[in-house]
Amino acid sequence: MKKIRRTLIMLLCVAMVISTAACGAKTDPDASGSPTHSETRDTINIAISGDNGTLLPCKVLGNFVGIVRQFSEPLIDFTADGEMVYSLATNIENDDTTEWTIHLREGAKFSNGNIFDANDLMFTVEYYMNDPTLSLQFACIDTANCEVIDENTFKLALGYYNAMLMGSLSQMYMMDAESFNEDTMVTNPIGTGPYVVEDYVVNSHVDLVANEDYWGNKATIKNLHYKILNEESQIVNALENGSVDVASVPTQDIDLVKGFEDYVTHSYSAVLAATMEFNITENSIMNDVNARRAVCHAVDREAIANLVYFGSAEVLDFPVSEHTHDYTDDLANMDDTYAIGYDLDLAKEYAETAGLVGQTITIITNGLPTYVTEAEMIQLNLEKIGVTAKIVNYDTASYWTVAYDPTMYDICLYAAASPQGYAVGLLYEYVMWAAATKSGWDKFDEYCALGAEAVGTADPEARKGMLKELTAMFEEAIPWYGLCDTMSTVAVNKDLEDVQIWNSGMMHYSDWSWAS
């Protein structure tokens, strides 16, 4: 279970870009042996990176969440503009109190034919709340007092009000109480979505077919073929030779791909921030805040934005994305790590004070090219202040196992985002995760109390002042350092219609169609 205990952070990182690719109009298999769509265009092939090794929805991390969204559904969802839409719920009453009444959609079925009802919602809530990590995002739920009113009505009881819960519910995937089995769900998951998983081979492909018994509008395009491509060059080559329909475009190749006449590119903010997290436990020299300040001032974030993200990113003046709904200008540059930023002389002073000079620290990444390059640039920056950085690159699954182990690293790189799109939720939910894994934060208890008060406040105006105070405390402690606010670009076959980008860059392929 250790492998999945970082699920909360990855839920916050759920906004990481969904890497996709698909095929051209051929009936022959491609070079890998994977089928391509026929001339009738009943298939989209979708390339994706970062195989989790599981399709159990609540355990899926990062890019693979894009697959989960096709076959499994939460109660609610959010559009790219942050507008809430109902999915398996049809109405939620009293959502500004501690006792919510949830009305469920009648007639929704799981892919095994079982009807979705309030008993399944109770089972799902209990499952999440019994998991030591999943429960962190839903800690306000009072499971003992939740109640099935009838088949389509559920009372969700809260131990305390949390303004971020509505967003969190969009990350809780409903499970079939009668048939649920953790082992079989890994490769043969059951859900209520517009598609059904037909085949999954780890590190090869995932095939989905339209759910003919879906409660909503049936998918226009029958088949989705996810092809796992971990190399950016593979994705660009697939676009270049016309063997894909959809692909997330590596930042360095955006200008190139924009010139491909068979594709339309869509750029959007996934509310995503490239982030450098510090190990602030006693196991690391980063336990010293002066060491953290040294690293912050040593890192040339402008160079990272330009050379790693090729200009498709902006240097942050705040720990998380400035595209969050509650970001305001008065939150900018509140601490010298942001206001001053790159300053080698200042970095050297802090490094000497912390005893960091001459030390070797370990930076870990998930092995994806962006993070590897980011780590290499940070490594070069640290050399300038007399610090040696050892880089260790892992595959996605192993990375989160190691990142949870405070004896294995000093700095880890990832992208942080809020599933709700609110900075206050992200900053506080990080602390909820940190409560189980971190030490070395002098004002930790005070911060936790303020964070709880902030997310427990229904009035957005009242939360603003709390967010500013919370940000100041966060930046003083520097558990992580925001590097760049990134933009994402996806290339889509020009013949695909009804294309929309949803919250965190998600694709609802069931709504798409081929031009006739």
Side-chain angles (χ1 to χ4, degrees), residues 363-368 371-373 375-376 391-395 399:
I363 301 175
I364 63 171
T365 82
N366 62 3
L368 295 178
Y371 298 103
V372 173
T373 305
E376 290 170 349
I391 300 172
V392 183
N393 302 311
Y394 295 92
D395 60 74
Y399 170 78

Side-chain angles (χ1 to χ4, degrees), residues 122 125-126 129 141-148 155 157-159:
M122 176 65 88
V125 168
E126 290 177 340
M129 296 307 294
I141 295 178
D142 178 10
T143 312
N145 288 306
C146 290
E147 182 181 350
V148 173
K155 183 183 81 173
L158 311 183

